[in-house]
Amino acid sequence: MKRPLPDGTTHLLFTGLELLRRVASLVPPPRANLTRFHGVFAPGARLRPFLVPQAGEEEARVEPQAGARQEKRKEGRARVDWAGRRRRTFAVEVLA
């Protein structure tokens, strides 16, 4: 242990079964959500619809912008392969 317990204990000795019981208690149940939300972000909170965007609203916003994003990608520069990046960064011809 990093520090002794208040009663002076510095080591804990477990049998194999005791150790497995303690470790198994830390494993979450299957298909359980590990993120818990409280307060206004909780699933049943009254104010949640005002803070978190709803699925229908988000789709309506994405559709008009989808065309604009594709046009920007076409105008962008071509990708540089790994050899070109190494050549530019270290001034070394890596394929030679």
Side-chain angles (χ1 to χ4, degrees), residues 17-70:
L17 188 58
E18 288 175 333
L19 179 64
L20 286 177
R21 279 190 193 139
R22 287 182 180 249
V23 171
S25 68
L26 300 175
V27 177
R31 295 174 299 282
N33 190 0
L34 300 180
T35 305
R36 312 275 184 196
F37 293 102
H38 302 280
V40 293
F41 291 110
R46 292 180 186 166
L47 296 176
R48 184 180 170 92
F50 300 108
L51 298 174
V52 180
Q54 303 300 318
E57 296 173 8
E58 189 173 316
E59 292 173 2
R61 285 189 225 146
V62 172
E63 290 176 10
Q65 297 173 356
R69 288 183 183 171
Q70 289 177 355

Side-chain angles (χ1 to χ4, degrees), residues 65-79:
Q65 297 173 356
R69 288 183 183 171
Q70 289 177 355
E71 292 174 9
K72 289 180 183 176
R73 289 182 185 163
K74 291 178 186 176
E75 296 171 5
R77 297 186 336 182
R79 299 178 90 179

